[in-house]
Amino acid sequence: MSSPTADVSVRVAWADDAEAIAAIQARAWATSYAGLVPAARELREADFAQLWRDALTSPADARHRALVALERNRVVGFAITTPATDPDCDQVTDGELMELTVDAGERGKGHGSRLLQAAADTMVADRFTRAVTWLVADDDELRTFLTDAGWAPDTAHRTLDLDGTGTTQVKQVRLHTALG
């Protein structure tokens, strides 16, 4: 007799997923950026939902993809893939993992690994041969997750000015991996 397994999967996001994705993103950003931007604690899913609905209904490019991780029929995480946007990247051959987020209470259950693999498979299907992603320089948890999956720093780094005044800056590093 086999033991029961969880009903988990990853699929392309639908417009109907906008609210669920927005809720996950608002919670994640409120936690991730709370120490940098005090207003981050006040982010609400409504702030993101319409943006997600628009992005899922009319993507900017055919290679802009959103994927969702599901437990049964509940969205527990999401990933975004696009052509790479950095000036030193080739938009034909370089894809970008713009975001990979799993709801905090759902981490450690394999959703992130499934999302990452589906994102890589999606970028391969879009004929990208390399992928890049940016992460906050001190996000050791995400860095470890990605490096354990075969990603590595490529020496690129940047500082984002979150409030436009120079007082709220976030240092980021770029990781990359070969696809295919």
Side-chain angles (χ1 to χ4, degrees):
M1 180 175 205
S2 65
S3 60
T5 59
D7 181 8
V8 294
S9 60
V10 174
R11 66 163 165 76
V12 172
W14 303 330
D16 289 348
D17 297 322
E19 284 78 16
I21 296 169
I24 292 167
Q25 187 174 40
R27 283 190 297 273
W29 285 21
T31 302
S32 297
Y33 295 106
L36 300 167
V37 183
R41 289 186 185 99
E42 300 164 17
L43 291 173
R44 301 167 314 171
E45 62 185 84
D47 298 332
F48 295 102
Q50 188 59 49
L51 295 170
W52 272 106
R53 198 172 296 101
D54 293 345
L56 294 170
T57 304
S58 303
D61 179 292
R63 297 173 301 161
H64 284 227
R65 314 258 191 212
L67 305 169
V68 290
L70 302 172
E71 184 157 332
R72 301 192 186 280
N73 64 347
R74 186 172 51 91
V75 175
V76 296
F78 68 95
I80 305 165
T81 64
T82 68
T85 56
D86 295 320
D88 64 334
C89 291
D90 181 340
Q91 290 195 345
V92 174
T93 60
D94 296 333
E96 185 167 348
L97 179 63
M98 293 290 285
E99 188 162 352
L100 175 77
T101 301
V102 175
D103 217 0
E106 301 297 330
R107 293 183 186 151
K109 299 178 182 179
H111 299 300
S113 296
R114 279 186 291 281
L115 268 174
L116 185 60
Q117 185 60 56
D121 291 346
T122 298
M123 288 187 277
V124 167
D126 285 335
R127 301 187 188 274
F128 295 121
T129 57
R130 182 177 84 111
V132 298
T133 192
W134 288 96
L135 59 139
V136 176
D138 62 357
D139 188 343
D140 295 333
E141 182 180 356
L142 181 56
R143 181 193 309 260
T144 299
F145 173 74
L146 291 170
T147 56
D148 287 352
W151 293 66
D154 70 358
T155 72
H157 56 87
R158 67 184 180 190
T159 301
L160 299 179
D161 182 359
L162 296 183
D163 63 6
T165 68
T167 58
T168 307
Q169 297 186 348
V170 175
K171 293 181 180 184
Q172 292 187 313
V173 295
R174 189 172 71 186
L175 303 184
H176 71 119
T177 192
L179 297 169

